Amino acid sequence: MSRSRIPRFYQLSVSERIALLRQRGVLSTDAAAHLADGTSALDVAAADRLIENVIGVFSMPMGLGLNFQINGRDHLVPMVVEEPSIVAAVSSAARLVRQAGGFTSVADEPLLIGQIQVVDLIDPERARADLLARGDELVALADSGHPKMVARGGGARGIEVFLRGATAQNGELLVVHLLVDTRDAMGANLVNSMCERLAPLVEEISGGRVFLRILSNLTDRALVRARAVIPYALLETADFPGERVRDGIVLANEFAAMDPYRATTHNKGIMNGIDAVALATGNDWRAIEAAAHAYAGRGDGYGPLTTWSVNDAGDLVGELTIPLKVGTVGGQVESNPAVRLAHTILGVSSAAELAEVMAAVGLAQNLAALKALSTNGIQHGHMRLHARAVAAAAGASGARFEEVVERLITDGEIKVWKARQIMQALEESSDGDRAIEPAAPVAGYGTAAAVALPAAHPAPTATLTPSASATCAAALTPGAPGPDAHLGYGKIILMGEHSVVYGYHAIAAPIGLSVRAQVTRQASLRKPVIADWDVDGSVREPIRADLSHRVAALIVTRLGVSDAGLRVDVFSHLPRASGLGASAAFAVALIRAVADSFQLTISDAEVSSLAFECEQIVHGTPSGIDNTVATFGRSVLFQRSDAPGGHTIRDIFTPHPIPIVIGLSGVESLTKQTVGLVRSAWQRNPARYDAIFSQIDGLVLAGVDALRRGDIAELGELMNINQGLLNALQVSSPEIESLVAIARRAGALGAKLTGGGGGGAMIAIAEPGGTEPIITAMRSAGYTTYLTEIR
């Protein structure tokens, strides 16, 4: 079993993580108990013996950097840090490097430098020569006070003597460097005491006066070099080919090499990882920082500590060289129980090995930062972690914590005051899962009642932010809509297709692929014009020419406005006839854009109701799920009802984002046709098909529970069973079955069709970091893929 590779570790509770480490033999029973009850922390009495004027003990989070393979050995890396995203980012980068064979890291013999300052010299050159001539005597004297260190193989290794130039009042400055191997100790006290011991003899030999006697924190005699070689194919994302990611990382490193302002931030990112390990292992992170930045400033200017280049095979090569003098023994390590525990988890055998691990962590942290900066930006993965910190600061806890986080992200205003506002709203609700209630005038989603609106009102409020993001959404083409455009969200059905039409439950979620519409009024137009802009800048007809104009006619009729002189520009990232809700997204975007153009106020519930009527034009007997998700942009548990009061629609929140790979079969899916075929079969044998629908419903409800717990392994199994039942309904296709098989072979936990079937799209879920092999396998087979996530 791999020591450092622990899939879905982040999804577990703290107690479950500790129990898992105990099961794997990483923690003893006592250590696990100390972590679980908090007694591993430094107590006040012990703290009072370490520093002065103690009034308490300050705590910080300790997490585990996962997936590290360094010099062929696995390491779980304890990290103490307060900044969100650091542990997650370094674990992701380590997993990437692991697939390429892991890190290599080599530490020099770890020497510290003690400095003895000599002034008031009569003959500086003669003094320098005499000190060098008696170097062995000085080394022997330094070792004489530390026989145990010498017995362990350490001790003084030699001296160096430098003339640094004239002082203001004390003549030439001479500096003696004493080079000391402190073995596995940090060694500051040892080196300082050696320098004190040498001072009288240095004065005697040089004829000068010794002033300062102290170690140097520029530990350039204790360099560590970490290296990783990554085939560019492993760098591929849904948005960016591997070569582009590789070249972007190299270009970002060149920026740091040419600009000290960038180099400072570049190196700070490296130290994010190294300092976190230093804190966990009881090492002097301030000394490590000082040495690193001094080393980065050697030569003509300040530069990056890493280099990223491309070798002859086209691989990305990353190298970090950094001074790292650390310790694994000594008072700071042995007096703090949390530090002792961190060393137990890390499992290194020497200070040199610890330095090698820390250098690999620094290189991984730099890789994660440069990869993010050169692709989707550093904020892409940071906002969720920032939202968690904000929710904690606002006092959110228990079952409400994740819901507060989700709503902060959805709202886009990640502030403490907003979190408290959300908490207050949740407290006022009697139901933990807030239902989406239709507005009073609407009898239920999908009713045919006209939307009665006054002639003129202020424009509607800002468009909803989708709760799922796709990293693959293509950039909008020139002429794309501005901020006044309106949005309809694409969707996936996670579970419950077809059975949802018959009153059973389904789980649906928005995706980052969407449709935007912009309406302008031009007096020169005699009839409405609908222009659908494809992502390549060409114009196509949305849905079908006849259907799109029928949808538009229904919308203007229901809103009570004239279509004379209307021009509609549609900007769609959704592939049509794919089961991803393109027609509903088109209707929602158009409704919002028309309403805004005529300054009409329309609620989301009314938008959804009218979009359902539009869906009836396109699909005949839709369930109502597409228009709901297209409007509200949230993951929901949906149940159709024709009874008064409308459908039952409840938000679903999962504790962690769940990656979703979407695969397009290349065959158009006609939902109206597949729904009709299933209806005909049901009418011939309702008992048989109701039994299948009931089985699917049970899977859906179990899936809701798995989502709420963040159990994606269970969710994947349920999806696989659901796919089998959909195949029994004869709504799958050879292309979909091929994609499902490819995804499962590539590591998908679950894979199934989404939407009406008969072609269209399928979805696959994987553990975080596990989507790239699935995407690569699908693309290699010639299929188009997208990457999104459920939140």
Side-chain angles (χ1 to χ4, degrees):
M1 180 183 294
S2 168
R3 175 182 171 87
S4 68
R5 181 82 185 102
I6 309 179
R8 298 183 292 279
F9 190 68
Y10 76 96
Q11 294 181 329
L12 304 177
S13 66
V14 174
S15 60
E16 289 171 337
R17 292 171 192 152
I18 293 171
L20 180 59
L21 293 176
R22 172 70 185 90
Q23 292 167 11
R24 291 197 170 199
V26 177
L27 296 175
S28 67
T29 301
D30 287 345
H34 290 320
L35 274 177
D37 62 19
T39 55
S40 63
L42 186 68
D43 61 43
V44 174
D48 194 36
R49 294 190 291 271
L50 295 179
I51 67 168
E52 305 76 31
N53 301 337
V54 166
I55 60 169
V57 177
F58 182 84
S59 298
M60 288 179 66
M62 180 163 71
L64 284 184
L66 304 177
N67 307 317
F68 277 94
Q69 188 177 76
I70 304 164
N71 298 333
R73 184 182 175 195
D74 272 23
H75 290 279
L76 287 169
V77 184
M79 302 176 71
V80 172
V81 64
E82 86 294 346
E83 183 177 335
S85 80
I86 287 175
V87 176
V90 80
S91 298
S92 177
R95 184 174 186 273
L96 178 63
V97 175
R98 182 189 191 89
Q99 295 172 11
F103 296 92
T104 57
S105 192
V106 180
D108 290 348
E109 182 184 27
L111 300 181
L112 268 181
I113 297 173
Q115 292 188 296
I116 302 171
Q117 177 191 17
V118 186
V119 293
D120 299 333
L121 292 162
I122 298 172
D123 187 342
E125 290 289 351
R126 176 66 182 271
R128 179 177 181 275
D130 290 346
L131 287 165
L132 290 171
R134 297 176 65 177
D136 291 344
E137 184 180 348
L138 290 165
V139 167
L141 179 61
D143 282 343
S144 66
H146 302 278
K148 291 183 179 180
M149 176 60 70
V150 175
R152 292 197 296 271
R157 291 288 184 261
I159 67 163
E160 299 171 340
V161 185
F162 302 94
L163 294 173
R164 298 300 193 194
T167 64
Q169 298 180 3
N170 299 94
E172 189 82 6
L173 170 62
L174 182 145
V175 182
V176 177
H177 279 186
L178 177 66
L179 308 181
V180 184
D181 182 350
T182 64
R183 299 281 87 186
D184 292 331
M186 282 181 272
N189 290 333
L190 171 71
V191 171
N192 289 340
S193 65
M194 283 183 169
C195 290
E196 294 281 356
R197 191 177 189 85
L198 293 187
L201 181 57
V202 168
E203 285 188 337
E204 177 185 324
I205 294 171
S206 67
R209 177 170 64 92
V210 169
F211 193 51
L212 298 186
R213 294 143 289 177
I214 191 168
L215 88 159
S216 169
N217 286 126
L218 178 50
T219 52
D220 57 2
R221 306 303 173 88
L223 294 179
V224 187
R225 299 165 183 85
R227 190 170 190 266
V229 180
I230 308 164
Y232 68 79
L234 292 177
L235 298 168
E236 182 177 357
T237 71
D239 271 347
F240 301 92
E243 298 98 321
R244 181 172 172 184
V245 177
R246 177 198 65 194
D247 295 343
I249 291 171
V250 172
L251 181 60
N253 197 89
E254 289 177 348
F255 182 10
M258 301 171 73
D259 187 306
Y261 292 90
R262 171 61 203 148
T264 302
T265 309
H266 178 104
N267 290 339
K268 187 267 183 186
I270 295 169
M271 304 313 293
N272 278 342
I274 291 175
D275 287 348
V277 183
L279 277 166
T281 56
N283 277 278
D284 186 349
W285 64 270
R286 299 162 304 279
I288 292 170
E289 279 273 349
H293 293 297
Y295 189 74
R298 70 198 185 284
D300 295 332
Y302 185 91
L305 292 164
T306 57
T307 60
W308 292 93
S309 59
V310 180
N311 65 15
D312 292 341
D315 304 324
L316 178 68
V317 180
E319 296 175 294
L320 166 66
T321 302
I322 188 170
L324 270 177
K325 183 64 182 77
V326 296
T328 56
V329 298
Q332 290 298 323
V333 173
E334 296 167 16
S335 62
N336 191 323
V339 170
R340 293 199 302 271
L341 187 55
H343 278 273
T344 298
I345 293 170
L346 185 58
V348 296
S349 59
S350 66
E353 189 178 6
L354 173 58
E356 289 167 352
V357 169
M358 291 170 72
V361 171
L363 184 59
Q365 200 79 57
N366 187 233
L367 171 61
L370 296 186
K371 185 171 182 283
L373 284 168
S374 59
T375 54
N376 291 307
I378 202 73
Q379 293 297 86
H380 181 69
H382 185 73
M383 281 299 99
R384 173 170 296 276
L385 295 167
H386 177 52
R388 295 179 68 85
V390 167
S397 61
R400 295 289 193 202
F401 181 81
E402 296 296 342
E403 191 167 359
V404 172
V405 170
E406 293 301 331
R407 296 194 183 188
L408 281 171
I409 294 169
T410 299
D411 183 80
E413 188 77 32
I414 304 179
K415 300 289 193 304
V416 172
W417 66 265
K418 185 64 178 180
R420 290 175 177 152
Q421 186 182 81
I422 292 170
M423 290 163 60
Q424 183 178 354
L426 290 172
E427 288 171 3
E428 293 171 354
S429 171
S430 59
D431 185 0
D433 289 321
R434 180 174 55 83
I436 303 174
E437 299 293 344
V442 183
Y445 290 95
T447 63
V451 180
L453 297 169
H457 278 282
T461 55
T463 309
L464 286 169
T465 302
S467 62
S469 60
T471 60
C472 61
L476 292 176
T477 56
D484 59 333
H486 289 79
L487 184 70
Y489 308 118
K491 69 93 182 61
I492 55 172
I493 297 181
L494 197 63
M495 299 175 67
E497 292 89 345
H498 289 284
S499 60
V500 69
V501 177
Y502 300 87
Y504 295 93
H505 296 88
I507 302 169
I511 58 178
L513 301 176
S514 59
V515 176
R516 290 182 180 271
Q518 183 172 337
V519 170
T520 55
R521 283 181 277 175
Q522 301 177 11
S524 59
L525 296 177
R526 296 189 177 184
K527 61 180 182 178
V529 172
I530 302 177
D532 187 9
W533 296 87
D534 206 345
V535 293
D536 63 0
S538 61
V539 178
R540 63 182 183 184
E541 281 289 346
I543 319 174
R544 273 193 353 233
D546 57 332
L547 294 179
S548 63
H549 283 84
R550 287 173 61 191
V551 165
L554 175 66
I555 290 171
V556 296
T557 298
R558 288 285 184 260
L559 296 182
V561 298
S562 171
D563 62 3
L566 282 188
R567 175 183 172 86
V568 180
D569 287 292
V570 180
F571 304 87
S572 178
H573 290 264
L574 276 169
R576 293 175 296 178
S578 61
L580 300 178
S583 61
F586 166 73
V588 168
L590 186 54
I591 293 165
R592 286 175 166 156
V594 170
D596 189 27
S597 177
F598 287 92
Q599 295 184 297
L600 304 176
T601 299
I602 181 168
S603 70
D604 286 336
E606 291 167 327
V607 169
S608 183
S609 177
L610 181 50
F612 180 83
E613 292 187 68
C614 298
E615 284 287 270
Q616 288 177 314
I617 294 174
V618 179
H619 296 307
T621 56
S623 65
I625 200 166
D626 284 21
N627 53 280
T628 299
V629 177
T631 302
F632 291 97
R634 294 196 290 267
S635 299
V636 296
L637 175 65
F638 179 94
Q639 186 176 25
R640 178 180 178 177
S641 174
D642 294 326
H647 308 325
T648 301
I649 307 153
R650 296 190 180 279
D651 285 349
I652 298 176
F653 296 99
T654 188
H656 304 286
I658 297 177
I660 300 282
V661 177
I662 301 172
L664 298 186
S665 69
V667 177
E668 288 196 351
S669 169
L670 301 177
T671 301
K672 187 173 185 177
Q673 180 179 338
T674 55
V675 169
L677 289 173
V678 172
R679 179 168 291 279
S680 296
W682 172 76
Q683 289 171 338
R684 290 193 301 270
N685 196 330
R688 177 181 299 163
Y689 281 85
D690 279 336
I692 296 175
F693 297 152
S694 181
Q695 289 183 65
I696 292 175
D697 196 55
L699 298 173
V700 170
L701 296 178
V704 172
D705 182 60
L707 277 169
R708 288 174 176 155
R709 290 183 287 108
D711 188 348
I712 60 174
E714 172 70 6
L715 182 64
E717 183 175 347
L718 295 168
M719 289 171 60
N720 290 333
I721 299 171
N722 192 179
Q723 173 61 19
L725 292 173
L726 290 169
N727 207 341
L729 292 175
Q730 302 180 60
V731 295
S732 191
S733 71
E735 294 80 10
I736 289 293
E737 292 300 318
S738 175
L739 275 165
V740 166
I742 290 169
R744 291 175 183 170
R745 285 197 301 267
L749 299 175
K752 60 178 285 294
L753 66 84
T754 184
M762 55 75 67
I763 55 173
I765 66 170
E767 64 184 53
T771 56
E772 291 182 3
I774 300 170
I775 292 170
T776 300
M778 287 182 180
R779 289 181 176 176
S780 297
Y783 293 102
T784 300
T785 65
Y786 299 96
L787 178 63
T788 187
E789 62 184 22
I790 295 176
R791 294 186 174 185

